[in-house]
Amino acid sequence: MKAFTPFTGIVAPLDRANVDTDQIIPKQFLKSIQRTGFGPNLFDGWRYLDAGEPGQDCSGRAENPDFILNQEPYRQAQILLARDNFGCGSSREHAPWALLDFGIRVVIAPGFADIFQSNSLKNGLLPVVLEAAIVDELFRRVAATPGYSLAVDLESGRLRDPGGETWSFVIDPFARECLLQGLDEIGLTLQHADAIRAYEERRRREAPWLFPR
């Protein structure tokens, strides 16, 4: 997992509440357990005019011109602005994987489904909770200025718009440090690799019958 560093990105508005994980990445694309390759099928049912199939080359598929991520400049968006209860539905980790693989690094919403929020933090996607009134204002600004961008600074817990206005957000301190250091659960475990090896060697000496040759 890459360390989360400050950046400025285009904000794509997805003005829908209760977006569930099957809409984020439909079930037919969940056969892989790799974390990459899901970006072309992000929001597949909304993004294309045909029904997608696993392994299909998406470069020649007919796109829905009304879907926001098919429009410029939002093809390059790194921030998704959404409504309440984003990521509801099943517990699939593929939802944050697909968002990240498309290029989305931050999702801003008034609230997230608990499991989606947890999965996002563990995979390097930053879910930012802001008050509904602030989210409403951001939707207005994005509508008024296509290509509207925000600067994201996780270390200070702030968003800043081009005019200099800032908004604070709160992230669980442990999750924040993991994101800043680029550590998922495997990475955290590997920080103790020497201690783990020492324990295994000690157990091998103490109870050799547990380690058949």
Side-chain angles (χ1 to χ4, degrees), residues 57-85:
D57 181 1
C58 293
S59 61
R61 295 175 66 190
E63 294 183 338
N64 175 2
D66 296 326
F67 186 61
I68 193 67
L69 295 182
N70 291 336
Q71 302 169 11
E72 294 295 347
Y74 303 114
R75 292 180 187 273
Q76 289 77 45
Q78 292 180 281
I79 302 170
L80 188 67
L81 182 64
R83 295 295 186 181
D84 196 34
N85 199 31

Side-chain angles (χ1 to χ4, degrees), residues 85-201:
N85 199 31
F86 187 87
C88 57
S90 72
S91 60
R92 62 192 67 168
E93 280 188 291
H94 301 72
W97 293 352
L99 288 159
L100 286 164
D101 198 56
F102 178 85
I104 301 295
R105 298 177 61 191
V106 176
V107 182
I108 301 171
F112 295 91
D114 289 343
I115 296 176
F116 173 84
Q117 187 170 31
S118 176
N119 285 340
S120 295
L121 292 169
K122 290 177 181 179
N123 285 281
L125 180 69
L126 177 61
V128 171
V129 177
L130 296 178
E131 294 179 5
I134 297 175
V135 172
D136 288 341
E137 175 59 24
L138 289 175
F139 269 106
R140 286 191 288 270
R141 295 186 186 195
V142 171
T145 309
Y148 180 82
S149 63
L150 288 172
V152 183
D153 188 339
L154 174 58
E155 189 163 9
S156 66
R158 289 185 178 277
L159 305 175
R160 186 181 71 255
D161 86 341
E165 187 171 0
T166 63
W167 298 274
S168 298
F169 60 90
V170 177
I171 297 292
D172 173 79
F174 177 73
R176 172 181 171 275
E177 287 306 309
C178 288
L179 286 171
L180 289 172
Q181 296 181 46
L183 293 172
D184 58 13
E185 291 177 331
I186 294 174
L188 284 168
T189 301
L190 290 176
Q191 285 189 310
H192 305 283
D194 290 343
I196 293 169
R197 282 192 290 268
Y199 170 79
E200 290 176 339
E201 287 301 318

Side-chain angles (χ1 to χ4, degrees), residues 198-211:
Y199 170 79
E200 290 176 339
E201 287 301 318
R202 178 169 60 81
R203 288 296 291 157
R204 190 182 297 274
R205 293 192 300 271
E206 294 173 347
W209 58 87
L210 296 176
F211 300 87

